[in-house]
Amino acid sequence: MLTTSPAFKDNAAHALKDAGLQKALGKAKGAFLQRRAEAVSRLPEFEALRDVGRDIKNHTLANLDFYLETFAANVERAGGHVHWCSTAEEARAAVLEICRKAGAKTVTKGKSMISEELGINDHLEKHGIDPVETDLGEYIIQLRRETPSHIIAPAFHLNREDWEADFRRAHTDLDPDRVFHERRDILTEARTRLRQKFLAADVGITGANFLVAETGSSVIVTNEGNGDLTQTLPRVHIALASIEKVVPTLEDCVSLLRLLARSATGQDFSVYTTFSTGARREAEIDGPGEYHVVLVDNGRSAMVGTEFQEMLRCIRCAACMNHCPVYGAVGGHAYGWVYPGPMGSVLTPSLIGVEKAGHLPNASTFCGKCESVCPVKIPLPKMMRHWREREFERHLSPQGVRSGLGLWAWFAQRPGAYRLASRIGVGLMGLLGRHKGAFKSLPLAGGWTAGRDLPVPQGGTFMAQYAKRMRNR
Amino acid sequence: MSKDAILTAIRRGLRRGPLPADQQAMLGGRLATHPRHLIPARSRVARPEQVALFIRNVEKEFGTVRRVADAAEMPAAIGEYLAAQNLPQRIAMAPHPELQGLDWDSRPMLQVEARRGDPQDSVSLQHGFAGIAETGTLMLPSSPHRPTTLNLLPDTEMVFLRASRIVGAYEEAWDLLRAENQDARTGGFMPRNVMFVTGPSRSADIEQTLELGAHGPRRLHILLLDDDPAALPAP
Ligand code: SF4
């Protein structure tokens, strides 16, 4: 996928002025938080399970080579095929090759973030194959030729009006004056439309929430059932998965599943959690005749052993973005690549380079909420700080920031000068803002005051107030 | 080859070569014994409460349950449900011996076809392998006797489930499968497909508001055969 991450600042400014987006964000924000909080409160063991989840993932990552080889051997034992792909190009080629061999014209797709990362749809289209997204949110995103704005709710940025308008535009064979009385009518129209696609498809492509080494299974989690129709009806099933999805056993997998739905949608369990293992067995009367796993690295192995290894624990629940004030203000598209929010701010620079995505780790208030809700306890703020350090070390930060920091460092090492300068500064600001209470704009601080007011300082510097209090004791 | 490139890069990151034999054996042991982790206490209750918890959770997720005292009453219970829901008296049924052995002649108006699911089916009857009380979840493994399409294509899915097959946690359901299933192809226990189903299909993609009946069944109805005297509610 192309990136606009380098333009994060402009993207964000745009997003703040986008009335439709702000309406959608305003409506959706609270729902996720409340549902998650309720689900967590129903399970007293939730906190303890977060430690379990973290430990399972750490154990797996420490032995990742072993578990991947075990997984692949078990897929093959069950009559499936594993395609190891180092890069996005290799993965796209592998998918295309399987589709071509199957003589595919139409390919149905379950929701998959790795598919977005690899740009599978464009690649298939370019080669004359019609990819059809079947998750409701992905479906409308595809109609609009957009990208998902959230990793579990792709159409997070849209309002009901958008759905109705897009359906009228795309489904031209239906009565243009039909009325959508309620959301259900939109859903029913999509269901009918996609049924035909499910039945026509030659190949079904899904993602994978987990891979189970013990059994060679790929696991998908959905509420709609579209992923199951995608992988059950066509002759060929392809599961796309990145290497960090593997877990050792079914027991490990269900422990993580206890965390996933609660953290993501606030359900105790999603409607469909499905384990696929190999192709149709003897005497079975349904299921795909071929089963392929396209196992993708695309930058992950390079994170192993670095300060970003812990990011590979991520189970893509989206709790971090749901709880992020920055995401809540600008939405997902501003981040400019596949993965938004705090997890994206850490992952994107790893996968596409800090030169392109250096703005993202800066888009944080460091409130720490993301880490506190992450079901596998990824220290997201700490890792964003690592990226800031790397960006600075590699001289990627703008000159203004660098000289500002240099100036501050000079004063910070000279307490006398620091106190003098801040006394002058605070005194001056107090004088200037005597009648205002807050600055709407301030020279040298435009970056701050563009989006918010700066309160006028009252009662001298901290050091001066401190000294006064000590004297009065 | 990419496989070697990926494995080599991982090992470089981990600052080691391939795992030595003794460590591989240790990890192999972990796979073979597949130890359980923390299991929530909510399902660790006496049998009657476990079954009650299962039913409560199914209903919380918008499914319905009817307890049936005797297998002989099953066809009538099915016919009555269809009538009450205004559905046709016609079902696509899993070709499972236990379902085929029910006394369908007692309900001559009910048309029963043992086969996979088809797109035009309005109602299916699946054979439930296990129920999981923890979240009101059904375990539906695929087999020639349990076609997956019956879980997906019809508007209404009915599932036959014995109360004796209700367990507390997911781990216990895996243990049942491990003990009872033997796959000719792999020599292992894992069937091609195992679905965990919790309530009927739904979506919250339109304005994050829940709507039932996305791509899968709009209704999920469980026919619970009370075959376990220890699991009956106290009189
Ligand atoms: S970083 Fe944690 S909270 Fe965010 S998506 Fe990944 S697992 Fe969920």
Side-chain angles (χ1 to χ4, degrees), chain B residues 90-104:
Chain B
R90 179 163 179 237
I91 57 175
M93 180 183 81
H96 190 282
E98 191 162 33
L99 298 183
Q100 285 175 316
L102 293 173
D103 180 17
W104 297 108

Side-chain angles (χ1 to χ4, degrees), chain A residues 151 311 314-320 343 370 373-376 378 380:
Chain A
I151 62 170
M311 192 61 221
C314 175
I315 58 173
R316 305 285 190 271
C317 71
C320 56
M343 58 79 70
C370 49
V373 296
C374 176
V376 284
I378 299 176
L380 293 153

Side-chain angles (χ1 to χ4, degrees), chain A residues 32-47:
Chain A
F32 270 127
L33 305 200
Q34 194 191 339
R35 279 184 233 144
R36 176 193 173 276
E38 285 167 6
V40 167
S41 74
R42 283 195 298 268
L43 188 69
E45 293 90 349
F46 188 83
E47 274 311 307

Side-chain angles (χ1 to χ4, degrees), chain A residues 331-361:
Chain A
H333 285 154
Y335 291 80
W337 200 56
V338 182
Y339 303 103
M343 58 79 70
S345 296
V346 175
L347 194 60
T348 306
S350 303
L351 299 184
I352 67 172
V354 69
E355 333 60 74
K356 287 191 195 138
H359 284 312
L360 305 185

